Amino acid sequence: MPKISDEKRAARRAQILEAAWSCFQREGLHATTMDDIIRASGLSAGAVYSYYPSKDKLIMAAVTTSLSGLSALIEPILKAEPPPSPDDFVRQVTATIAGFTARDGYDLKRIALLGWSEAQRNERLRETMRGFYLAFRGRLADLVGSWRRSGLVGESVPEQDMAKALMSIILGFVVQAAILGDVDGAALASGLDGFARPTA
C-alpha cells in the first residue's frame, strides 16, 4: 500500500480540524462527540482516530493550530520597522484577527471563548495557552520598548504594564466581536487614540 504524502497528511489533518471547529461552534466542546466530527469530516472513523485518537487531543490540536496560525500572521506587524503607532498597531492586529477567524460556517473568535472556558478545567490546555499568551505579551513589551525609543509613548509606565493593557485590548476585541458583534479595529484604535490625546 503506497504511503500517504506529507501534503496529503496535512490536508487530512486540516479537514478534520475544519470539521471539529464547525461542530464545536454548533454544539459546544462538551456536547460535540467524535462521531459528530467524523460525520462532518467525511472521513472514516479509522482515518480520524489515526490522526486524533481522542477528543481531548483534537481540542488541543484545534487550539494550538489556531494560535500558531494567528501568531505567524501577527509576527510581521510586531517586527515592522519603523513600528506602527499604538493605535495603528491595534487596527492592524484586530483586522488580522478578524480576517483569520472568519471562516466558512464558523467563527474562530467564538470558538476561542469555548477554548478559554475549557482551559479552566484542563490543566494541559491551560499551560499550552499560557505559553502562547506569555510569549505574545513578551513580544508586546518589546514593541512598547520600540515605541518608547521612537518617542511614541512616555517612560513613566513600565513596559510590562503597558503590554498587559495592550493585550487586554486585543483579547477584549475577541470577546466583544464574538458576543456583541459591533466592534472593529478602527473603533478600538479611535478609542485608544482618544485616551492618548485629551482635548483642551
Side-chain angles (χ1 to χ4, degrees):
M1 180 178 292
K3 290 185 177 180
I4 299 175
S5 68
D6 289 342
E7 184 177 297
K8 182 70 172 177
R9 199 181 307 277
R12 282 194 176 174
R13 283 197 185 96
Q15 184 177 350
I16 296 166
L17 286 176
E18 290 284 332
W21 281 321
S22 179
C23 290
F24 290 154
Q25 175 167 303
R26 186 171 59 250
E27 302 293 340
L29 292 184
H30 292 290
T32 295
T33 66
M34 286 297 284
D35 285 344
D36 294 330
I37 295 167
I38 290 164
R39 281 192 297 272
S41 73
L43 298 172
S44 69
V48 172
Y49 279 109
S50 69
Y51 290 100
Y52 303 106
S54 69
K55 193 173 78 170
D56 280 347
K57 290 187 181 299
L58 188 46
I59 289 171
M60 182 68 71
V63 168
T64 55
T65 299
S66 59
L67 287 174
S68 297
L70 187 55
S71 296
L73 294 176
I74 291 175
E75 185 63 20
I77 307 172
L78 290 164
K79 293 168 64 174
E81 288 293 343
S85 63
D87 58 331
D88 195 38
F89 174 75
V90 168
R91 186 182 296 108
Q92 289 184 43
V93 167
T94 52
T96 299
I97 292 171
F100 177 80
T101 56
R103 305 295 179 92
D104 185 18
Y106 62 91
D107 188 333
L108 285 175
K109 290 187 292 299
R110 294 175 63 185
I111 297 170
L113 272 59
L114 299 175
W116 293 342
S117 176
E118 176 68 11
Q120 305 313 301
R121 60 168 289 277
N122 183 325
E123 182 67 26
R124 184 164 173 257
L125 182 61
R126 180 164 65 249
E127 285 304 305
T128 298
M129 286 185 167
R130 186 173 185 272
F132 272 101
Y133 288 134
L134 282 175
F136 180 50
R137 199 169 71 190
R139 297 292 287 115
L140 292 177
D142 293 341
L143 179 61
V144 172
S146 297
W147 288 337
R148 184 160 286 168
R149 290 188 294 273
S150 301
L152 292 173
V153 299
E155 299 187 6
S156 61
V157 179
E159 291 175 6
Q160 283 292 338
D161 288 355
M162 296 180 73
K164 290 173 184 177
L166 191 56
M167 187 165 172
S168 293
I169 291 171
I170 293 167
L171 297 185
F173 163 74
V174 174
V175 174
Q176 289 193 71
I179 296 176
L180 303 177
D182 64 348
V183 64
D184 59 25
L188 289 180
S190 175
L192 183 63
D193 192 48
F195 281 110
R197 300 173 187 272
T199 57

